[in-house]
Amino acid sequence: MNAVSSVESLKLIKDSARDFAEQYIRPHYMEWDETQHFPMDVMHKLGEHGFLGVLVPEEYGGSGLGYQEYISIIVEISKVCSSMGLSVAAHNSLCTGHTMMFGNEEQKKKYLPKLASGEWVGAWGLTEPGTGSDAGRMKCVAEKDGDHWVINGTKNFITHGASGHLAVVIVRTGELLDSHGMTAFLVERGTPGFNAGKKENKLGMRCSETAEMVFDNCRVHESMMLGKEGEGFIQAMKILDGGRISIAALSLGIAKGAYEASVKYAQEREQFGKPIAQFQGISFKLADMATKIQAAELLTRKAADLKNNGKKVTKMGAMAKLYASEAAVSISNDAVQIHGGYGYTKDFPVEKFYRDSKLCTIGEGTSEIQRVVISRLIMKGDI
């Protein structure tokens, strides 16, 4: 594909995602936010349009696209509703991505078509009530029993933890703190002993379901293991490398949505006989917002380019996630300020961008963890 056709293709995909968001999400997103309703019907429709198997090869029923297209899709959906952007990102990069990257041929043929089509929605379980960044101390364990593994424990803060049809779960199968003592399994909803726990009542991202997954003597056949025993943690770290590009894209969508709403409002709102955009205090805020968006997009697109070309993306993914997420918080904060009292009401979209943005600095590795990752690589000579 030459450069011109590539740009045209990217625009078509971007326009398709934007049109979907306008038609199926914008009319309902505030109602979903207020009631914390997770719209499974819209997730199925996203799958029908090819947005839930973006990176999955066509042979497994996916769209067979790359990370640049994936970023554009997440951005356009998140500009309208970042909660739905989060669900699309988590489904694609975590459960589906893990199955695609580490599943055997039989697992991929069985599960990827269901995930890519949106027939099934995926969940991914690493975090536990007592172990967030410190995943090596996880207490959710699996013990071998013949040709099955018996899982006991709880995972929390899991996107689609209650409604997801298939979960990738990383559990401890070896010694505590052993990075080779964890293993990944596929667990289908309906498996005895696999239940939904508490659904979180959140500040933002309220229509993207976040819940516990509880395992009580849940028996999983050894054929559901992803890769080999002891590879789970290493696999998870590789999945998070790509997942951080997803969160950077989500952050970018929030930032763009808040910025575009602010430009529109600043040009329409008049004080002292002229639009507030003509006051330096407002215009400089808009200039800073636009500059941060450009920087965030360049970092995110560079990380995507490395990922597309099979190059190491750990540092650049962490940088993109760190900068874009912090920029989303700053930009949505300024957006509320530009809107004044109206920005504090639910009549304008910026209060939701403000609430939603904070999750981006926490999920899939906090800003502090991103700085740990980046600084360690710098000290090893990756500058």
Side-chain angles (χ1 to χ4, degrees):
M1 183 182 290
N2 62 44
V4 174
S5 61
S6 178
V7 170
E8 291 174 347
S9 174
L10 197 60
K11 185 179 184 304
L12 284 172
I13 291 163
K14 175 182 175 181
D15 290 347
S16 177
R18 182 199 62 212
D19 292 345
F20 182 98
E22 291 294 335
Q23 182 175 353
Y24 296 107
I25 298 175
R26 188 176 292 282
H28 311 289
Y29 78 97
M30 281 307 298
E31 174 192 345
W32 297 339
D33 182 79
E34 289 286 323
T35 60
Q36 293 198 87
H37 171 67
F38 175 52
M40 183 63 81
D41 57 331
V42 177
M43 288 295 288
H44 292 320
K45 197 169 289 291
L46 281 158
E48 292 170 9
H49 283 72
F51 298 136
L52 295 187
V54 181
L55 304 167
V56 176
E58 292 181 27
E59 64 183 291
Y60 300 114
S63 300
L65 301 172
Y67 267 78
Q68 300 295 356
E69 292 86 353
Y70 177 50
I71 287 170
S72 295
I73 290 166
I74 298 298
V75 166
E76 291 304 312
I77 292 172
S78 301
K79 281 169 62 176
V80 173
C81 178
S82 30
S83 295
M84 292 305 297
L86 172 62
S87 279
V88 172
H91 174 93
N92 274 284
S93 70
L94 298 179
C95 180
T96 305
H98 201 137
T99 305
M100 182 172 66
M101 187 175 293
F102 297 107
N104 58 39
E105 194 61 24
E106 182 180 349
Q107 291 166 338
K108 289 192 283 190
K109 284 182 177 178
K110 181 177 181 179
Y111 293 115
L112 288 181
K114 293 179 184 291
L115 292 167
S117 67
E119 178 185 350
W120 281 16
V121 170
W124 191 79
L126 178 66
T127 301
E128 296 181 8
T131 57
S133 302
D134 188 12
R137 297 180 190 272
M138 66 172 56
K139 295 180 179 179
C140 189
V141 299
E143 296 181 353
K144 192 80 177 342
D145 181 19
D147 58 359
H148 283 72
W149 288 83
V150 182
I151 304 175
N152 281 287
T154 301
K155 297 290 181 178
N156 76 332
F157 296 136
I158 308 303
T159 304
H160 313 143
S163 299
H165 302 84
L166 180 72
V168 172
V169 186
I170 298 91
V171 298
R172 185 159 58 80
T173 52
E175 295 300 315
L176 199 68
L177 298 178
D178 181 3
S179 62
H180 295 282
M182 289 164 270
T183 305
F185 292 91
L186 288 159
V187 187
E188 293 186 20
R189 183 70 60 183
T191 302
F194 175 28
N195 300 296
K198 175 189 175 186
K199 179 180 176 180
E200 302 297 340
N201 185 8
K202 299 174 295 182
L203 168 72
M205 301 290 189
R206 288 171 59 82
C207 81
S208 178
E209 179 186 88
T210 304
E212 290 180 329
M213 297 192 300
V214 181
F215 299 89
D216 182 10
N217 291 321
C218 179
R219 294 177 63 84
V220 178
H221 193 267
E222 61 187 7
S223 64
M224 301 295 276
M225 183 184 292
L226 284 162
K228 298 178 181 178
E229 181 181 346
E231 294 181 344
F233 183 76
I234 308 302
Q235 292 176 5
M237 294 304 102
K238 291 180 180 177
I239 292 301
L240 287 174
D241 278 350
R244 285 165 183 161
I245 299 174
S246 299
I247 302 301
L250 174 62
S251 304
L252 187 59
I254 292 172
K256 286 188 174 186
Y259 166 72
E260 290 174 11
S262 297
V263 170
K264 181 175 183 292
Y265 182 82
Q267 290 174 328
E268 294 174 351
R269 171 72 167 172
E270 291 191 358
Q271 290 288 278
F272 304 101
K274 59 183 178 181
I276 63 171
Q278 294 183 20
F279 292 98
Q280 191 178 80
I282 301 299
S283 64
F284 277 20
K285 272 183 172 29
L286 295 172
D288 287 343
M289 293 160 81
T291 303
K292 289 175 183 176
I293 286 170
Q294 288 294 315
E297 181 146 27
L298 285 168
L299 278 169
T300 306
R301 295 287 181 183
K302 183 173 181 179
D305 185 63
L306 292 173
K307 187 71 174 174
N308 278 342
N309 287 289
K311 296 180 180 179
K312 191 172 181 180
V313 74
T314 304
K315 185 182 78 171
M316 192 53 60
M319 285 181 166
K321 197 268 190 190
L322 170 63
Y323 185 84
S325 64
E326 297 283 345
V329 172
S330 172
I331 288 166
S332 59
N333 178 60
D334 282 345
V336 172
Q337 196 69 21
I338 288 169
H339 281 71
Y342 292 109
Y344 204 66
T345 72
K346 294 184 182 295
D347 295 328
F348 288 80
V350 292
E351 67 84 28
K352 182 175 183 297
F353 286 128
Y354 185 48
R355 288 186 288 109
D356 288 352
S357 66
K358 190 57 195 170
L359 184 276
C360 297
T361 69
I362 298 170
E364 298 198 31
T366 62
S367 292
E368 291 73 20
I369 287 294
Q370 305 314 312
R371 291 183 172 97
V372 169
V373 170
I374 296 163
S375 60
R376 282 179 178 173
L377 289 170
I378 290 171
M379 292 305 106
K380 290 179 180 179
D382 185 358
I383 57 175

